[in-house]
Amino acid sequence: MRKSLGTIVTEIQEQERKFSVTCSGLIEEAFQMTVFLQELLISSKECVLSSGFVNEEKEIEFFKMIKPQILGKLIYYNKLYRIETACPVNNGKMYHNYFSTHLTELKIEFSEHICNSHFYRYYRSGRVDKDNEYFKRGQINYLDGLSSYVFEIDPQFSTYYDYKVARIIANDLLYAYLLTKITPEENPDIFFSNTDDIKELSWTDSKNALIELMYALYASGAISGGKVGIRKLTAISQVLFRMPLTDVHHAFHRMKTRAGSRTLFLDQLKQSLEEYMDKDL
């Protein structure tokens, strides 16, 4: 039986949580997720080819929502693996320039091939009036001057535009990931806002404390029902609090094996809040 969107998303998130704990670092995590997602995509294809769809609504849902979630994450983790394994150093100016170059390339790709397209505006606006054209098989209009990639796809398992949605998802994830690799203080253009209130915010505890808090929020699903990944949380946190966060995964793995309490900052937060509550009694 074909899996629902909710089941697919949950399954992917569970694997991400599993590998973030069991893998030795980001490279191994990216590799394991790539293997998992590739297998998930293959099994989804086998199901579609053997069973088809009960109606047009289910076909549109699959190619607009379900397949792009799998393929988008697959593109993202494969690219992440390639970037990480080709990184020349662990820190310093060369490290910064390496990731800055990748970020610039991503921005150029977005501006030249994605953001100005009619389909991108259609997808981002949440429209559904052309879903029959974009997300049903056999509806490709070659007169639109499509990318040559269209000739390589399997017409029984793609509408062409499901791949475009997957690329949008992958690019969003890559953008957040690359931001985590670049020190915010050296790149003021990546800040969300220029308001005085935002500029005055800063994290005054340790980096490990912030990383511990981020992982707690991620593991609990407290933000957007757990749909925001740890890398996006890292990007948001370092920009919001003007705190550069590098080597986040290794820092988290060290926390898991440290002596005494593994949640030092959360324990401290609980104690501080209880003491503050007692003052009002």
Side-chain angles (χ1 to χ4, degrees):
M1 183 176 66
R2 189 172 300 111
K3 299 174 182 177
S4 67
L5 175 61
T7 300
I8 289 292
V9 171
T10 299
E11 195 172 325
I12 293 174
Q13 290 176 343
E14 286 176 351
Q15 289 298 315
E16 288 175 326
R17 292 189 182 98
K18 172 187 173 183
F19 291 136
S20 71
V21 172
T22 60
C23 293
S24 60
L26 184 55
I27 291 176
E28 183 185 356
E29 181 183 346
F31 173 76
Q32 294 294 346
M33 282 302 300
T34 299
V35 172
F36 164 74
L37 290 162
Q38 175 69 5
E39 293 174 349
L40 185 58
L41 188 65
I42 290 173
S43 65
S44 297
K45 180 176 182 178
E46 291 173 349
C47 184
V48 167
L49 295 183
S50 63
S51 304
F53 300 97
V54 296
N55 53 44
E56 292 183 357
E57 181 181 348
K58 290 298 182 181
E59 181 177 6
I60 290 172
E61 179 190 25
F62 179 81
F63 288 111
K64 184 177 183 179
M65 306 295 294
I66 298 176
K67 184 188 173 186
Q69 282 293 330
I70 303 171
L71 183 57
K73 284 288 186 77
L74 177 58
I75 294 170
Y76 163 66
Y77 278 109
N78 181 60
K79 181 66 174 180
L80 190 154
Y81 179 82
R82 292 173 59 190
I83 292 174
E84 287 287 336
T85 53
C87 185
V89 291
N90 291 327
N91 51 49
K93 186 174 182 179
M94 185 180 293
Y95 176 94
H96 177 273
N97 289 341
Y98 176 77
F99 287 102
S100 294
T101 299
H102 278 288
L103 183 60
T104 299
E105 291 173 353
L106 188 66
K107 289 179 178 178
I108 292 174
E109 178 187 351
F110 175 77
S111 62
E112 292 184 353
H113 303 292
I114 298 178
C115 70
N116 291 322
S117 70
H118 293 295
F119 176 76
Y120 180 79
R121 292 192 292 272
Y122 173 86
Y123 176 74
R124 285 300 197 199
S125 67
R127 288 168 54 189
V128 298
D129 53 289
K130 290 188 176 182
D131 280 1
N132 282 331
E133 175 184 341
Y134 290 137
F135 301 111
K136 281 181 57 184
R137 293 169 295 178
Q139 304 296 313
I140 298 175
N141 183 2
Y142 295 96
L143 295 176
D144 288 341
L146 305 176
S147 168
S148 57
Y149 165 78
V150 70
F151 301 110
E152 301 177 15
I153 65 174
D154 182 347
Q156 296 301 312
F157 190 62
S158 181
T159 70
Y160 176 69
Y161 289 97
D162 59 272
Y163 174 77
K164 285 185 171 291
V165 175
R167 286 304 300 265
I168 293 171
I169 292 172
N171 282 7
D172 285 348
L173 293 168
L174 283 168
Y175 184 72
Y177 153 71
L178 291 170
L179 287 184
T180 69
K181 293 293 186 175
I182 301 173
T183 306
E185 286 84 351
E186 297 176 2
N187 296 272
D189 59 307
I190 70 172
F191 283 89
F192 296 141
S193 173
N194 290 321
T195 65
D196 292 336
D197 289 341
I198 294 296
K199 288 182 177 180
E200 290 175 1
L201 290 176
S202 64
W203 184 262
T204 54
D205 211 303
S206 69
K207 290 184 181 180
N208 276 348
L210 182 54
I211 292 172
E212 185 179 321
L213 177 61
M214 289 189 317
Y215 268 94
L217 293 171
Y218 172 69
S220 67
I223 299 179
S224 298
K227 295 180 180 179
V228 178
I230 193 65
R231 292 181 187 85
K232 186 168 288 188
L233 281 178
T234 301
I236 293 170
S237 298
Q238 71 169 355
V239 171
L240 180 62
F241 295 117
R242 308 182 71 86
M243 168 66 75
L245 296 171
T246 57
D247 205 20
V248 170
H249 283 266
H250 286 132
F252 176 67
H253 283 290
R254 288 192 293 270
M255 291 178 195
K256 293 190 294 183
T257 58
R258 63 188 177 190
S261 174
R262 296 188 296 176
T263 56
L264 292 175
F265 182 62
L266 296 180
D267 295 342
Q268 177 188 327
L269 281 182
K270 181 176 182 293
Q271 180 181 347
S272 298
L273 179 58
E274 289 178 342
E275 292 175 355
Y276 183 80
M277 289 176 172
D278 291 339
K279 292 179 182 179
D280 295 333
L281 295 178

